[in-house]
Amino acid sequence: MEKIIEESKQGESLVLENKPENTKKLFIESYGCAMNFSDSEVVASILSDGGYNTTSVLEEADLVLVNTCSIRDKAEQTIRKRLEKYNAVKRTNPKMKVGVLGCMAERLKSQFLEEEKIVDLVVGPDAYKDLPNLLAEVEEGRDAINVILSKEETYGDISPVRLMSNGITALVSITRGCDNMCTFCVVPFTRGRERSREPQSIMAEIQDLWNKGYKEVTLLGQNVDSYLWYGGGLKKDFVNASEMQKATAVDFDQLLEMVAVGFPKMRIRFSTSNPQDMHESILHVIAKYPNICKHIHLPVQSGSNRILKEMNRLHSREEYMALIDKIKAIVPDASISQDMIAGFPTETEEDHQDTMSLMEYVKYNFGYMYSYSERPGTLAGRKMKDDVDEETKARRLQEIVDLQQKHAWFRSEEFVGKTVEVLVEKVSKKSKDEFSGRNSQSITVVFPKENYKIGDFVNVKITSCTSGTLKGEAVGLSSMN
């Protein structure tokens, strides 16, 4: 659940510039978190070199790939419906091949290939480099599968193609996998153990983005705070590293500073943080550099110590609140967002009220809230009875959502009268005469276009707001341009 799933992006199909020499057509669709969208860029890059151009027309595709998410039951049901659609098209175009990528691939490999026979190939998150070989197997009439989880793979040597057609913001993966065995989460089983990417390959990718005119990068990982490069290998094996490896290791605050110093006119974001791994040193780096955005996504999941223990979260309510206090002291203008689960097994009304009181303490700017859905393969799925009835879950979730809406209004109103720096990302959905972008705190800001353009950093004086959007008037370009 340590993943932000933006509902507006679900099911986006990726279309790239065509290479005239490529003769085959690829339709690739992504679901789930930012990591999946980032992985689809890697896949498209690999297949572009293998003779495939992308298409947004499903019916003309030679190869259809869906990059999948296992985080919630709803996500899996959506993908099953898409697979039904692909197979309906396939009946009229028998040459079309269908493949499943990502987290569901790892979890449901035999079901998809052998029992239901609804796909031709199944490829896990660490096996994308094997796609050309797997496709050759499929061409010869065999099912193809590779869901082996790697100790080393980070795709650091592949230059991803970019989903973001605005050419302004980009995702840069810095870690893969996760070592935190939260009882509700499938990620350690679908993406493997935590390993970090070599810092110079990260810097090279950002340099390439800067050369192409990008203005903002998001450093991406299941748990960015535990980034640790010591020459390769798993994070858990660092204890066995040589003294030289330990002395020259790079952790997240060092990487963040490297990027901020190396690209002073580029905005830096990161996601996702984990409360037990976010150290004070990271906060001082955020405070020190104006180009590091002042937004921290800090999932908590519950405000109850008893439920946090059941979830195997390695922090208490009190430790989380102390971290919030530190953030507010060191980075006073930071926005903080949350992930919250309602109705985890054994959750009582008292546990729920603990969550509500924690939210009152923090007053988050925004959040991602879900009712608990049992994920097969997780510890909670194996050992805990899903004993909170659906009606109670729905009520508790609604109370959490309503309280978050109240706090979002409160936090938005704090910006009224202030001037904020906005990176212009696109034309506003509601008016072609307005631009839309985000401020450092990751809050959407809209303002009249005037003579500004997409990619500009503009200072905007906020005149009004809704719970999720700030509105204002431009007062000039910022010093970031």
Side-chain angles (χ1 to χ4, degrees), residues 14-19 26 40-41 44-45 48 52-55 161-163:
L14 168 55
V15 181
L16 311 172
E17 212 171 306
N18 284 349
K19 288 184 179 176
L26 163 70
S40 290
E41 295 173 348
S45 179
S48 175
Y52 285 87
N53 282 329
T54 51
T55 176
V161 295
R162 295 294 163 186
L163 272 165

Side-chain angles (χ1 to χ4, degrees), residues 104-114 122 145 147:
M104 265 177 93
E106 207 289 326
R107 204 174 77 69
L108 296 172
K109 47 193 179 286
S110 55
Q111 213 169 315
F112 282 157
L113 270 176
E114 292 150 27
V122 174
I145 180 167
V147 292

Side-chain angles (χ1 to χ4, degrees), residues 58-129:
L58 174 64
E59 288 73 13
E60 67 180 30
D62 300 289
L63 174 63
V64 176
L65 297 175
V66 58
N67 200 342
T68 61
C69 173
S70 269
I71 206 106
R72 288 182 280 164
D73 186 56
K74 181 186 167 195
E76 290 201 358
Q77 295 312 317
T78 301
I79 288 157
R80 283 196 168 279
K81 285 197 178 77
R82 291 304 288 158
L83 287 170
E84 285 171 20
K85 166 75 175 167
Y86 302 157
N87 277 284
V89 174
K90 193 176 177 181
R91 284 193 282 276
T92 63
N93 177 11
K95 288 193 294 187
M96 177 197 278
K97 303 300 179 194
V98 175
V100 170
L101 313 175
C103 296
M104 265 177 93
E106 207 289 326
R107 204 174 77 69
L108 296 172
K109 47 193 179 286
S110 55
Q111 213 169 315
F112 282 157
L113 270 176
E114 292 150 27
E115 295 165 35
E116 300 176 28
K117 300 191 187 310
I118 53 175
V119 298
D120 303 291
L121 74 160
V122 174
V123 190
D126 287 352
Y128 299 143
K129 282 184 187 170

Side-chain angles (χ1 to χ4, degrees), residues 20 163 212 316 441 481:
L163 272 165
K212 289 173 178 168
S316 66
Q441 289 77 13
N481 290 285

